[in-house]
Amino acid sequence: MGHEPTERRTPRPHARAGAAAVAGMATAVALASPAQAQENWEHIHGTVEQGGSYTAVAATATDEVWAFGSDPEDSEAPRIERWDGQQWQEETAPDGLTSPPVAAEAGPDGQVWALAYSYDAGTSAAHYDGESWTASAIDFAPEMEPTALAAVGDGNAWALAASALGETEAVYFDGQEWTSQPAPTADEGLGVAETGEVFAVGGQGEELIVERWDGADWVPEEIPQVDNPSGEAAASFNDVLVRSADDVWAAGNISWKDADEKNHYRPVLAQYDGTEWTVQVGEEEGTYDAVADDGEGGLYLSYGAWNPAMEHRDADGRVTRQELVADDHDLVLGGLDSLPDGAGAVLAVKSVDKGDPDVSTGHGRVYGTGAWY
């Protein structure tokens, strides 16, 4: 039957607070700039001739890495490909997966989930149980677009969705069906610890938000708020990595407009150690849009969603960064995931034409780092 969406520990109270309330309780410090260029992300799959797109990835092993996107012959149809340790092979998408996936995740049990959405077809979920793919519909409201997915294990999963007006919905799959659950305010990222801890991240106005599932509802965490220059200021976490209940990382950005109405961004990285959150703000302009575990106590981060630079922070805090450059194309972040046991990471991007060529050469690309490919 699967698990109920409850925690496996006694919950403790949390309360979200403003900057004045948390002063002295946790620190907001500056992120270090990259020490040197990183040179080990490589374009390993996807060409103009292959076409299509890649919008999400998930990895369970060095011989089982999944790439999701749109079919080269039909941009509205889903595409699933698998790296088997030797080559990429196309998989047959399950009946009921109505659109190209927009998010994917591998669970601790080696099972894989993907969420797909279109306004006409709604939201559907694909599930790989280790042997075959199946798909099911999720009854989100038509205006709700899926924003986050978390694989719990034992074939269970959480999914979040949000509307343009900021409304949110949440559902949970218990091994049999999707059921509606209380929804967090935060909807940009979702992560689950092996002990059952569930964290949702996002933002509201100038406030960074993390909420934790207590078995019945989402309880706000106490996050130190950072100083943000005036002028339509905003803050948000965009992704979360939950290694354990006392080792959680949230990545995002603050933003504001200057006197000339120009937008500015600074990356934000926060860590929870089981007792309190600390927040770091970058000195350079940019955003963190995705985060993944490097398997050795460090992090892989996507620095930006448009022509992203891939950043690595090792367990000792050393930072390297590599810009991804594609001739005649701009790159749009699709998804980032790490491989187990420190074997590396995989990145999906959509390659779009620069300018306005007569013939489109946009296509999907997969980048890799490590020794798995």
Side-chain angles (χ1 to χ4, degrees):
M1 290 294 292
H3 297 305
E4 293 298 316
T6 57
E7 291 188 325
R8 302 170 195 171
R9 67 171 189 67
T10 302
R12 59 183 176 82
H14 299 267
R16 189 166 64 240
V22 299
M25 297 181 63
T27 58
V29 298
L31 287 168
S33 299
Q36 62 187 55
Q38 179 189 355
E39 298 294 345
N40 62 345
W41 280 93
E42 298 179 303
H43 173 202
I44 60 174
H45 183 55
T47 64
V48 171
E49 291 72 25
Q50 289 172 321
S53 71
Y54 295 114
T55 49
V57 287
T60 63
T62 56
D63 60 355
E64 188 174 275
V65 180
W66 300 91
F68 305 86
S70 63
D71 185 86
E73 303 299 325
D74 181 359
S75 63
E76 300 300 317
R79 175 190 199 180
I80 301 176
E81 292 186 348
R82 173 183 172 174
W83 170 257
D84 65 5
Q86 299 293 326
Q87 61 184 344
W88 291 93
Q89 297 185 352
E90 185 172 350
E91 299 277 320
T92 300
D95 293 339
L97 185 64
T98 54
S99 308
V102 296
E105 183 171 344
D109 53 2
Q111 300 187 40
V112 181
W113 290 86
L115 286 180
Y117 170 81
S118 72
Y119 185 83
D120 293 333
T123 300
S124 55
H127 175 217
Y128 181 73
D129 64 4
E131 296 183 358
S132 61
W133 286 95
T134 57
S136 56
I138 296 180
D139 191 25
F140 285 138
E143 68 274 14
M144 292 288 182
E145 295 189 33
T147 57
L149 170 68
V152 179
D154 294 337
N156 298 351
W158 279 94
L160 303 181
S163 72
L165 299 177
E167 301 165 315
T168 58
E169 290 186 9
V171 292
Y172 184 83
F173 191 82
D174 62 2
Q176 300 293 327
E177 61 181 352
W178 293 98
T179 57
S180 178
Q181 301 292 327
T185 301
D187 58 45
E188 292 296 327
L190 196 60
V192 181
E194 290 187 4
T195 53
E197 299 274 354
V198 188
F199 294 83
V201 301
Q204 190 171 56
E206 297 182 48
E207 191 172 15
L208 298 164
I209 297 176
V210 179
E211 293 168 283
R212 187 196 303 231
W213 177 252
D214 70 358
D217 210 342
W218 296 91
V219 181
E221 292 279 286
E222 192 173 78
I223 306 297
Q225 300 303 299
V226 300
D227 292 334
N228 202 341
S230 60
E232 299 185 32
S236 179
F237 290 125
N238 300 318
D239 197 11
V240 62
L241 167 64
V242 181
R243 287 197 183 108
S244 66
D246 57 4
D247 189 4
V248 183
W249 293 82
N253 61 270
I254 60 173
S255 64
W256 68 95
K257 287 183 181 290
D258 62 21
D260 297 323
E261 294 295 304
K262 181 180 179 181
N263 291 315
H264 297 272
Y265 300 87
R266 293 264 181 92
V268 172
L269 187 63
Q271 182 187 21
Y272 179 67
D273 63 4
T275 301
E276 64 180 3
W277 287 86
T278 56
V279 178
Q280 306 170 68
V281 181
E283 297 178 348
E284 301 177 358
E285 292 230 353
T287 70
Y288 286 139
D289 289 271
V291 58
D293 193 358
D294 77 348
E296 298 178 345
L299 305 172
Y300 294 113
L301 292 146
S302 172
Y303 198 82
W306 184 265
N307 290 323
M310 300 312 298
E311 185 171 294
H312 179 240
R313 292 177 170 266
D314 70 16
D316 296 322
R318 289 186 292 267
V319 181
T320 56
R321 190 185 296 164
Q322 177 186 343
E323 294 184 1
L324 303 184
V325 179
D327 293 340
D328 300 323
H329 291 87
D330 289 310
L331 304 179
V332 183
L333 175 68
L336 172 68
D337 198 14
S338 56
L339 278 80
D341 303 321
V346 58
L347 174 75
V349 301
K350 182 178 181 180
S351 177
V352 298
D353 294 308
K354 292 182 178 180
D356 187 21
D358 293 334
V359 178
S360 173
T361 59
H363 58 282
R365 291 188 176 195
V366 177
Y367 286 78
T369 185
W372 59 272
Y373 55 88

